Amino acid sequence: MLKIAVLGCGRIGRMHAENIHAHPRAELAGVFDVFAPAASEVSQKLGVTNFASAEDVFASENVDAVLIATSTPTHADFIEQAVAAGKPILCEKPIDLSLDRVNVCARNISGSELPIMLGFVRRFDPGHRAVRLAIEAGQIGDLHQVVITSRDPGMAPDAYMEASGGIFRDMTIHDFDMARFILGEEVTEVFATGSRLVNPALMERLNDWDTVSVVLTTASGKQCIINNSRKATYGYDQRVEAFGSEGMAVSENRRPHMTTLHRGDFTGQGAPLLNFFIDRYAEAFAAEIDAFVDTIENRVAPDVGFEDGRQALVLAEAALKSVIECRPVKTSELG
Amino acid sequence: MLKIAVLGCGRIGRMHAENIHAHPRAELAGVFDVFAPAASEVSQKLGVTNFASAEDVFASENVDAVLIATSTPTHADFIEQAVAAGKPILCEKPIDLSLDRVNVCARNISGSELPIMLGFVRRFDPGHRAVRLAIEAGQIGDLHQVVITSRDPGMAPDAYMEASGGIFRDMTIHDFDMARFILGEEVTEVFATGSRLVNPALMERLNDWDTVSVVLTTASGKQCIINNSRKATYGYDQRVEAFGSEGMAVSENRRPHMTTLHRGDFTGQGAPLLNFFIDRYAEAFAAEIDAFVDTIENRVAPDVGFEDGRQALVLAEAALKSVIECRPVKTSELG
Amino acid sequence: MLKIAVLGCGRIGRMHAENIHAHPRAELAGVFDVFAPAASEVSQKLGVTNFASAEDVFASENVDAVLIATSTPTHADFIEQAVAAGKPILCEKPIDLSLDRVNVCARNISGSELPIMLGFVRRFDPGHRAVRLAIEAGQIGDLHQVVITSRDPGMAPDAYMEASGGIFRDMTIHDFDMARFILGEEVTEVFATGSRLVNPALMERLNDWDTVSVVLTTASGKQCIINNSRKATYGYDQRVEAFGSEGMAVSENRRPHMTTLHRGDFTGQGAPLLNFFIDRYAEAFAAEIDAFVDTIENRVAPDVGFEDGRQALVLAEAALKSVIECRPVKTSELG
Amino acid sequence: MLKIAVLGCGRIGRMHAENIHAHPRAELAGVFDVFAPAASEVSQKLGVTNFASAEDVFASENVDAVLIATSTPTHADFIEQAVAAGKPILCEKPIDLSLDRVNVCARNISGSELPIMLGFVRRFDPGHRAVRLAIEAGQIGDLHQVVITSRDPGMAPDAYMEASGGIFRDMTIHDFDMARFILGEEVTEVFATGSRLVNPALMERLNDWDTVSVVLTTASGKQCIINNSRKATYGYDQRVEAFGSEGMAVSENRRPHMTTLHRGDFTGQGAPLLNFFIDRYAEAFAAEIDAFVDTIENRVAPDVGFEDGRQALVLAEAALKSVIECRPVKTSELG
């Protein structure tokens, strides 16, 4: 049994703790949260250690690996500490809101061969993954266009929005990673357009956007379009379409069940899409833990690592620059 | 140009008249209706002859073929007259409500080689036809089970219901023909169950049923289930499912368009299914005229002829007997 | 934590053991299997007790409740022993292949107020359950017709088929329970027709059928149709349709993911349906354990109990009698 | 009966001629084609006049209106001649490949109040129209994003491509019009990216692109994305998605029928999408003629007129400039 400790007991940390607890080849080594009651609740419910500090987690001989689900500003520090302690890492995205800090972190941990896996959970979604597998199997021929639709069911609280780093670093970053996952080729140019349509006053105040469209292009001419909105009233809209010389693969939205209603005024589902990310990506979050366990057991590099986290942030920075300067931005401009 | 006259200018006769008018290789030779204003309206709108009597139609040298869309009790007489006059026939179902009258008609016209086509329009529906083509192409292997769902959008006026001959002869008869079309083998046994759930008082008075389920079996053991209701609030429910040793083919419902709505309370179509039979089977009605023209031009036997009309009525009689006697009925019992 | 022991470590028992292990409010108290290596493998993997006998399980103070997933002939005995030992029970279907034995068991345990839950897992499927919830919420008005399609992905090994008790007691029994769950009213008459189309030689030898259609009716005239086949090449076909005075609810098939392929020769999923019952009903099996834990914690009667198991068997007996005697059978004939 | 003559008897002209012939309130007044045998074939099949010249058509007292389906370079001239002759016009897109020529034509016909309708047929598609109706009915709240997917089933012959004016003027022009139809607000900025992926050698030679993505924005911040490819192996991919503050409306692809196949290797349709534009938009082409007849009968302005044709061309020019200059282009730059 691989013993994994969880740092951060917010809703995403709690969910990871339960998934580790349920995993047949892993066990939950304990939890930590800077807000003690949060960790205490989880430790009692699942009968595991409540660590007094992150340092204690890293120092514990009873911990084989760590899952970092704390607030974003702590990620880079904890990655460095975990590397120093020799503990394999699964870290929630983003590594940091600052590309500079990420680059510093990269230097600080260079040379380490510890597995560092980034929590781009959507790569583990069976539907999105089926798109990539279809491409790899040649079922759509050469890839030409990718369309990623990603709309949140509703806007987070103002406090969250203020600390989020803006839509590109907080929300689109998942889509930038998905684009790289599907394109299989680095993006060379980013054009983004941003609007303030959901909550114009807040967006104005934060100098942010709630509705964005992004066009990515690669050296070979592949095109990828990303649509984002902070608020889809019909649920969590998560689709990936890949179009190629021999066909198309589309990962459609998931629903709470496959039951439809037929009535005089409508025929379809009498419900919105799944609208909570933990429900929508439940299978993906479980598969992510599975992949992390595999990575450590088999001593292989994770499918999605530190550099993937850095590249997604490069695209976020390029998109931000594109909106501000009203022009397409080469990723090479960001070094 | 093949000159076709239409007898009967009710809504189905009018629709046929317009389809003949629009057909590139046929022209409307004229119309007749016992209720003169009905024929007059069509003749003026489409600029064609308004025949004074059915006899005039049959006698006209300007008429190459006739389409009989008059009331059911006239069908057998008009078929006999048209045969005597040497005019090929497309006749709406049923031939007659009485199997005896149909058998007499069969004897009266025996020996004639004129094309007599029965208006079982659903055979010409691209979707239902695709099911049969899939079977013929071996795509589902040997056929094992057929499920036909056929529910009307609403009950016809009481006067119509009283003269209809009951649900089996009026409504299920289409499904009996569809069963024969898909099964490709004669039915040997019929079990039917009938309920009075939509309008119990009327059904009680008419000694009829508004909700029926029927099981048909063939000599080789193929099974076919038919579900009927006189009232589906969500539109005209018309589906055919064929299950076989190598797969399944399903003709799903048609909709007014392929546009879906996604909202907080539902995701689907903000509309019922197509709910008028002329809209639902618009392509089929046009294809039926096309097949009739082909049949005459190519001097071949029609795909669906007099004997098909008779066999469907045999199944209707068997179903009626089954409900009344609460037992499965062999078709051989009906001669 | 509720301590649940699992009797029977075949594939279904193993799956239950893992679900109990993963449940946040339950723990796996141990396992037993008459074939010791099967239990040993599970006990080692999940780190729990390997009981030496069923008697040890029932006698253990460390066991709060039992899940019976052993072979069918042991079910009734184990239910009686568990009741004697005061352990709440979740028992896989069927209680027994013999209605007489079930009736004896019912008498032997009468008076006990212990929760005895029957493993009709499909009641816990989110899709099928949504159909019932739609009915309860009045979304389809008064229920008129139910169509249950249930086709296995392939035939079990001959040895299993020989001991299965025939298609009605082994396979259709799930659909009989689903019919009762959806109809909300007892069935009064059963008509069944059986064919030998998938493996005629084997069916002939076993005096069994591999393809059946069943019509159930209730006192108020509700109709329910069940279609079964032992072999659907396209996967595990599991659908429930409820039609009523105000609309229709349909629980459609589930798929491995929502990804479609569009190519020149087809558009759809490049894969069959989920074809293993443990995958198809994964959420339902987890929800079943959840309901069992709730039942015990809240000291309420289970949603699906012993009498439900008995009634499903009554319908199976009636269907069998119907096919053999070629007539509709009243459930009252079976006492 | 409104008498309409058709100029141009290529495949699109022939289709229009048949639709006029079939229309209950219009008749085909005759046809003309510079290639006489083409017109001759149509005139004989439908029994109408074969005009010796376009001049004869415009001069004929037997012609109430004209449908221009000749080659693009003749459109502007014929529009001017028809206006001079006082004949209402339905003209296929584009008015001309040159925005200058269109502007000259606009001046030449200014002052005329004759109905001039542009053949942007997709506006008449029931599905795309349902999206606009949903927006107008407030069903999706305020419009935020539009996604138009438009991929041809295959590349036209080289000779056609060479004379087409390039992808933006020939193909995307339909999508530019659809964008304006759905957005309900003029586009202020265009960003386009073009790739050569389907036939790089030909595209290189023509200085054209076969794969383009375009982002349109309006003054209020609405965003519209268009995806084009010259070759979709799975048929004619035609979708329109509108996303708003209260929901989403999506016009999905149409299929030859609603029949699906379920087999071990796939579940879906055993066929591509409808892949010929005349089939895909059959209902729209008929509705277009209907709208033209209505326009003339009711003496109202057409829903889609000359200025719509001009504006679509402005967007095409802006897109072309955007790809060439690698920057977003304001529509105001094009005057």
Side-chain angles (χ1 to χ4, degrees):
Chain A
M1 288 284 198
L2 184 75
K3 292 173 238 161
I4 308 174
V6 171
L7 289 86
C9 291
R11 65 185 179 182
I12 201 166
R14 284 199 303 275
M15 180 267 301
H16 282 307
E18 294 199 1
N19 282 343
I20 292 167
H21 169 75
H23 196 281
R25 297 195 315 282
E27 69 180 59
L28 186 62
V31 293
F32 161 74
D33 197 291
V34 67
F35 177 61
S40 177
E41 187 192 325
V42 180
S43 80
Q44 278 169 32
K45 183 173 167 199
L46 299 176
V48 299
T49 306
N50 182 351
F51 286 98
S53 69
E55 288 68 30
D56 284 2
V57 175
F58 297 124
S60 171
E61 291 196 350
N62 206 32
V63 171
D64 296 328
V66 295
L67 187 156
I68 301 172
T70 48
S71 64
T72 298
T74 64
H75 289 182
D77 290 350
F78 285 162
I79 288 173
E80 291 166 354
Q81 291 172 38
V83 167
K87 312 283 192 204
I89 300 159
L90 170 52
C91 182
E92 275 302 320
K93 65 89 217 170
I95 303 173
D96 197 274
L97 294 181
S98 152
L99 185 54
D100 288 343
R101 177 66 184 93
V102 173
N103 288 336
V104 167
C105 184
R107 281 194 297 275
N108 289 344
I109 63 173
S110 73
S112 164
E113 295 197 351
L114 271 183
I116 304 179
M117 182 166 153
L118 253 286
F120 283 125
V121 67
R122 296 181 194 176
R123 290 194 181 212
F124 299 95
D125 179 65
H128 301 343
R129 185 162 282 261
V131 173
R132 170 142 157 179
L133 292 175
I135 297 169
E136 289 175 357
Q139 291 183 292
I140 66 164
D142 296 327
L143 185 64
H144 290 180
Q145 290 182 317
V146 176
V147 181
I148 298 173
T149 305
S150 177
R151 295 169 183 148
D152 276 356
M155 213 175 275
D158 285 15
Y160 177 91
M161 298 300 291
E162 281 163 19
S164 74
I167 191 167
F168 295 115
R169 291 190 193 97
D170 171 54
M171 183 175 165
T172 325
I173 198 162
H174 274 296
D175 307 304
F176 289 131
D177 183 65
M178 183 54 59
R180 294 182 64 248
F181 180 60
I182 299 294
L183 285 168
E185 184 184 334
E186 289 303 338
V187 170
T188 51
E189 193 184 278
V190 179
F191 176 77
T193 182
S195 302
R196 291 160 183 166
L197 301 171
V198 177
N199 188 338
L202 179 66
M203 291 301 114
E204 196 81 31
R205 180 158 68 78
L206 300 181
N207 200 23
D208 196 2
W209 304 270
D210 49 38
T211 305
V212 305
S213 293
V214 185
V215 184
L216 309 175
T217 47
T218 71
S220 73
K222 292 181 177 63
Q223 302 166 352
C224 174
I225 282 170
I226 298 168
N227 295 294
N228 283 167
S229 170
R230 284 285 191 183
K231 185 177 176 194
T233 58
Y234 53 88
Y236 191 29
D237 192 349
Q238 293 283 297
R239 288 172 280 159
V240 175
E241 171 181 322
F243 170 79
S245 60
E246 298 299 329
M248 176 171 69
V250 187
S251 177
E252 305 276 6
N253 276 309
R254 289 192 54 198
R255 295 155 181 288
H257 47 64
M258 296 297 281
T259 297
T260 58
L261 272 174
H262 289 67
R263 289 172 51 85
D265 49 353
F266 80 89
T267 62
Q269 288 212 316
L273 302 178
L274 285 172
N275 66 11
F276 183 41
F277 73 96
I278 286 180
D279 294 334
R280 166 61 180 86
Y281 284 115
E283 287 171 312
F285 279 115
E288 186 182 55
I289 296 298
D290 212 46
F292 185 48
V293 173
D294 279 355
T295 292
I296 297 170
E297 284 184 346
N298 305 330
R299 297 170 182 276
V300 294
D303 281 345
V304 47
F306 188 93
E307 179 61 13
D308 294 301
R310 204 185 75 85
Q311 286 294 344
L313 200 60
V314 167
L315 297 182
E317 298 273 323
L320 183 60
K321 198 177 180 71
S322 174
V323 176
I324 291 169
E325 301 181 8
C326 294
R327 64 172 183 92
V329 170
K330 304 276 181 202
T331 49
S332 57
E333 297 179 37
L334 289 133
Chain B
M1 287 285 200
L2 183 75
K3 292 172 239 162
I4 308 174
V6 171
L7 288 86
C9 292
R11 64 184 180 182
I12 200 166
R14 285 199 303 274
M15 180 267 300
H16 282 308
E18 294 200 0
N19 282 344
I20 292 166
H21 170 77
H23 196 281
R25 298 195 315 283
E27 70 180 57
L28 186 62
V31 292
F32 161 73
D33 196 293
V34 68
F35 177 60
S40 178
E41 187 191 327
V42 180
S43 78
Q44 279 169 32
K45 184 174 167 196
L46 300 175
V48 297
T49 306
N50 182 351
F51 287 97
S53 68
E55 288 67 30
D56 285 2
V57 174
F58 298 125
S60 171
E61 291 197 350
N62 207 33
V63 170
D64 296 328
V66 295
L67 188 155
I68 302 172
T70 48
S71 63
T72 298
T74 65
H75 289 183
D77 290 349
F78 285 163
I79 288 174
E80 290 166 354
Q81 291 173 38
V83 167
K87 311 285 193 203
I89 302 158
L90 170 50
C91 182
E92 275 302 321
K93 66 87 214 170
I95 302 174
D96 196 273
L97 293 181
S98 153
L99 185 53
D100 288 342
R101 178 68 184 94
V102 173
N103 288 335
V104 168
C105 184
R107 280 193 298 274
N108 289 343
I109 63 172
S110 73
S112 165
E113 295 197 350
L114 271 182
I116 305 179
M117 182 166 154
L118 253 286
F120 284 124
V121 67
R122 297 182 194 174
R123 290 193 182 213
F124 299 95
D125 179 66
H128 302 342
R129 185 161 281 261
V131 172
R132 170 141 157 179
L133 294 175
I135 296 168
E136 289 175 356
Q139 292 182 291
I140 65 164
D142 296 327
L143 185 64
H144 290 181
Q145 291 182 315
V146 176
V147 181
I148 298 173
T149 304
S150 177
R151 295 169 183 146
D152 275 357
M155 214 175 274
D158 285 16
Y160 177 91
M161 299 299 291
E162 281 163 20
S164 73
I167 191 167
F168 296 116
R169 290 191 194 97
D170 172 54
M171 183 175 164
T172 325
I173 198 161
H174 275 296
D175 308 304
F176 290 130
D177 184 64
M178 184 54 60
R180 293 182 66 248
F181 181 60
I182 299 294
L183 285 169
E185 184 183 335
E186 289 302 338
V187 170
T188 51
E189 193 186 278
V190 179
F191 176 77
T193 183
S195 303
R196 292 162 181 164
L197 301 172
V198 178
N199 187 338
L202 179 65
M203 291 300 114
E204 196 82 31
R205 181 157 68 79
L206 301 180
N207 201 23
D208 197 2
W209 303 270
D210 49 37
T211 304
V212 304
S213 292
V214 185
V215 184
L216 309 175
T217 47
T218 70
S220 72
K222 292 181 176 62
Q223 302 166 353
C224 173
I225 282 169
I226 298 169
N227 296 295
N228 281 166
S229 170
R230 283 285 191 183
K231 186 178 175 193
T233 56
Y234 53 88
Y236 192 28
D237 192 349
Q238 294 283 296
R239 289 171 279 159
V240 175
E241 172 180 323
F243 170 78
S245 60
E246 298 299 328
M248 177 171 68
V250 188
S251 175
E252 306 275 7
N253 276 309
R254 289 192 53 199
R255 296 155 180 287
H257 48 62
M258 297 298 281
T259 297
T260 59
L261 272 174
H262 290 65
R263 289 173 50 86
D265 49 354
F266 80 90
T267 61
Q269 287 211 318
L273 303 178
L274 284 171
N275 65 11
F276 183 41
F277 73 95
I278 287 179
D279 295 334
R280 166 60 180 86
Y281 285 115
E283 288 170 312
F285 279 115
E288 188 182 52
I289 296 299
D290 211 46
F292 185 48
V293 173
D294 279 355
T295 292
I296 297 169
E297 285 185 346
N298 305 329
R299 298 170 181 277
V300 294
D303 282 343
V304 49
F306 189 93
E307 179 61 14
D308 295 300
R310 205 185 73 85
Q311 287 293 345
L313 199 61
V314 167
L315 297 181
E317 297 273 322
L320 184 59
K321 199 176 180 69
S322 173
V323 176
I324 291 169
E325 302 182 7
C326 292
R327 66 174 182 90
V329 170
K330 303 277 181 201
T331 50
S332 56
E333 299 178 37
L334 288 132
Chain C
M1 289 284 199
L2 183 76
K3 292 173 238 160
I4 307 174
V6 171
L7 289 86
C9 292
R11 64 184 180 184
I12 200 168
R14 285 200 303 274
M15 180 266 300
H16 282 307
E18 294 199 1
N19 281 344
I20 293 168
H21 170 75
H23 195 280
R25 299 195 315 283
E27 69 179 58
L28 186 63
V31 293
F32 161 74
D33 198 292
V34 67
F35 177 61
S40 175
E41 187 192 326
V42 181
S43 78
Q44 279 169 33
K45 183 174 168 197
L46 299 175
V48 297
T49 305
N50 182 351
F51 286 98
S53 69
E55 288 67 30
D56 285 2
V57 175
F58 297 125
S60 170
E61 292 195 349
N62 207 33
V63 171
D64 296 327
V66 295
L67 188 156
I68 302 172
T70 48
S71 63
T72 297
T74 65
H75 289 183
D77 291 349
F78 284 164
I79 287 174
E80 290 166 354
Q81 292 173 37
V83 167
K87 311 285 193 204
I89 302 158
L90 170 51
C91 182
E92 275 302 319
K93 66 85 217 171
I95 302 173
D96 196 273
L97 294 182
S98 153
L99 184 55
D100 288 341
R101 177 66 185 94
V102 173
N103 288 335
V104 168
C105 184
R107 280 195 297 275
N108 289 344
I109 63 172
S110 74
S112 164
E113 295 197 350
L114 270 183
I116 305 180
M117 183 166 154
L118 253 285
F120 283 125
V121 67
R122 297 182 194 175
R123 290 194 182 211
F124 299 95
D125 179 66
H128 301 343
R129 184 161 283 261
V131 173
R132 171 144 156 177
L133 293 174
I135 296 169
E136 289 175 356
Q139 292 183 291
I140 66 163
D142 296 326
L143 185 64
H144 290 181
Q145 290 182 316
V146 177
V147 182
I148 298 173
T149 305
S150 177
R151 295 170 183 145
D152 276 356
M155 213 175 275
D158 284 15
Y160 176 91
M161 299 299 291
E162 281 163 20
S164 74
I167 191 167
F168 295 115
R169 291 192 193 97
D170 172 53
M171 183 176 164
T172 326
I173 198 160
H174 275 296
D175 307 304
F176 289 131
D177 183 65
M178 182 54 60
R180 293 181 66 248
F181 180 61
I182 298 294
L183 285 169
E185 184 184 333
E186 289 301 338
V187 170
T188 51
E189 194 184 278
V190 179
F191 177 77
T193 184
S195 302
R196 292 161 183 164
L197 301 171
V198 177
N199 188 339
L202 179 65
M203 291 299 114
E204 195 82 32
R205 181 158 67 78
L206 300 180
N207 201 22
D208 196 2
W209 303 270
D210 48 38
T211 305
V212 304
S213 293
V214 184
V215 183
L216 308 176
T217 47
T218 71
S220 72
K222 292 181 177 62
Q223 302 166 353
C224 174
I225 282 170
I226 298 169
N227 296 295
N228 283 165
S229 170
R230 285 285 192 184
K231 185 177 175 194
T233 57
Y234 53 87
Y236 192 28
D237 191 349
Q238 294 283 297
R239 289 172 280 159
V240 175
E241 171 180 322
F243 170 78
S245 60
E246 298 299 329
M248 177 171 69
V250 188
S251 176
E252 305 275 7
N253 276 310
R254 291 192 53 199
R255 294 154 181 289
H257 47 64
M258 298 296 282
T259 297
T260 58
L261 272 174
H262 290 64
R263 289 172 51 86
D265 50 352
F266 81 89
T267 61
Q269 288 211 317
L273 303 178
L274 284 171
N275 65 12
F276 183 40
F277 72 96
I278 287 180
D279 295 334
R280 166 60 180 86
Y281 284 115
E283 287 170 314
F285 279 115
E288 187 182 51
I289 295 298
D290 212 44
F292 184 48
V293 173
D294 279 355
T295 291
I296 297 170
E297 284 185 347
N298 305 330
R299 297 170 181 277
V300 294
D303 281 345
V304 48
F306 189 92
E307 179 60 13
D308 294 301
R310 204 185 73 85
Q311 287 294 345
L313 199 60
V314 167
L315 297 181
E317 298 272 324
L320 184 58
K321 198 175 180 71
S322 174
V323 176
I324 291 169
E325 302 181 6
C326 292
R327 65 172 182 93
V329 171
K330 303 277 181 203
T331 49
S332 57
E333 297 179 39
L334 289 132
Chain D
M1 289 285 202
L2 184 75
K3 292 171 239 160
I4 308 174
V6 170
L7 289 86
C9 293
R11 63 184 180 182
I12 200 166
R14 283 200 304 273
M15 180 266 300
H16 282 307
E18 295 199 0
N19 282 343
I20 292 167
H21 169 76
H23 196 279
R25 299 195 314 283
E27 69 179 59
L28 186 61
V31 294
F32 161 74
D33 197 291
V34 66
F35 177 61
S40 177
E41 187 192 325
V42 180
S43 79
Q44 279 170 30
K45 182 173 167 197
L46 299 175
V48 298
T49 306
N50 182 349
F51 287 98
S53 69
E55 288 66 31
D56 284 2
V57 175
F58 297 125
S60 172
E61 292 196 348
N62 207 33
V63 171
D64 297 326
V66 295
L67 189 155
I68 302 172
T70 48
S71 63
T72 298
T74 65
H75 289 182
D77 290 350
F78 284 163
I79 287 173
E80 290 166 354
Q81 291 172 39
V83 167
K87 311 284 192 203
I89 301 159
L90 170 51
C91 182
E92 276 301 321
K93 65 87 215 172
I95 303 172
D96 197 273
L97 294 180
S98 152
L99 185 54
D100 288 343
R101 178 65 184 94
V102 174
N103 288 336
V104 168
C105 183
R107 280 194 298 274
N108 289 344
I109 64 172
S110 73
S112 165
E113 296 198 350
L114 271 182
I116 305 179
M117 182 167 153
L118 254 284
F120 283 124
V121 67
R122 296 182 194 175
R123 290 193 180 212
F124 300 95
D125 179 66
H128 302 343
R129 184 162 283 260
V131 173
R132 170 141 157 180
L133 293 174
I135 296 168
E136 289 175 357
Q139 292 183 291
I140 67 163
D142 296 327
L143 185 64
H144 290 181
Q145 289 182 317
V146 176
V147 181
I148 298 172
T149 305
S150 178
R151 295 170 183 146
D152 276 355
M155 214 175 272
D158 285 16
Y160 177 91
M161 299 299 291
E162 279 162 21
S164 74
I167 191 166
F168 296 116
R169 291 191 194 97
D170 171 54
M171 182 175 165
T172 325
I173 197 161
H174 274 296
D175 307 304
F176 289 131
D177 183 65
M178 183 54 60
R180 292 182 66 249
F181 180 60
I182 299 294
L183 285 168
E185 185 184 332
E186 289 302 338
V187 170
T188 51
E189 194 184 278
V190 179
F191 176 77
T193 182
S195 302
R196 292 161 183 165
L197 301 172
V198 178
N199 188 338
L202 179 65
M203 291 300 114
E204 195 82 30
R205 181 158 67 79
L206 300 181
N207 200 21
D208 196 2
W209 303 270
D210 49 38
T211 304
V212 305
S213 293
V214 184
V215 184
L216 309 176
T217 47
T218 71
S220 72
K222 292 181 178 60
Q223 301 166 353
C224 174
I225 283 171
I226 298 169
N227 295 296
N228 282 167
S229 169
R230 284 287 192 182
K231 186 177 176 195
T233 57
Y234 53 88
Y236 192 28
D237 191 349
Q238 294 283 297
R239 289 172 280 159
V240 175
E241 172 181 321
F243 170 78
S245 60
E246 299 299 328
M248 175 170 69
V250 188
S251 176
E252 306 275 6
N253 275 311
R254 288 192 55 198
R255 294 156 181 287
H257 49 63
M258 296 297 281
T259 297
T260 58
L261 273 175
H262 290 65
R263 289 172 51 85
D265 49 354
F266 81 89
T267 62
Q269 288 212 317
L273 302 178
L274 284 172
N275 65 11
F276 182 40
F277 73 96
I278 287 180
D279 295 333
R280 166 60 180 88
Y281 284 115
E283 288 170 313
F285 279 114
E288 187 182 53
I289 296 297
D290 212 44
F292 185 48
V293 173
D294 279 355
T295 291
I296 296 170
E297 284 185 347
N298 305 329
R299 296 170 183 277
V300 295
D303 282 343
V304 48
F306 189 93
E307 179 61 13
D308 294 301
R310 204 186 73 85
Q311 287 294 344
L313 200 60
V314 167
L315 297 181
E317 298 272 323
L320 184 59
K321 199 175 179 71
S322 174
V323 176
I324 292 168
E325 301 182 7
C326 293
R327 64 172 182 92
V329 171
K330 304 277 181 201
T331 48
S332 58
E333 297 179 39
L334 288 132

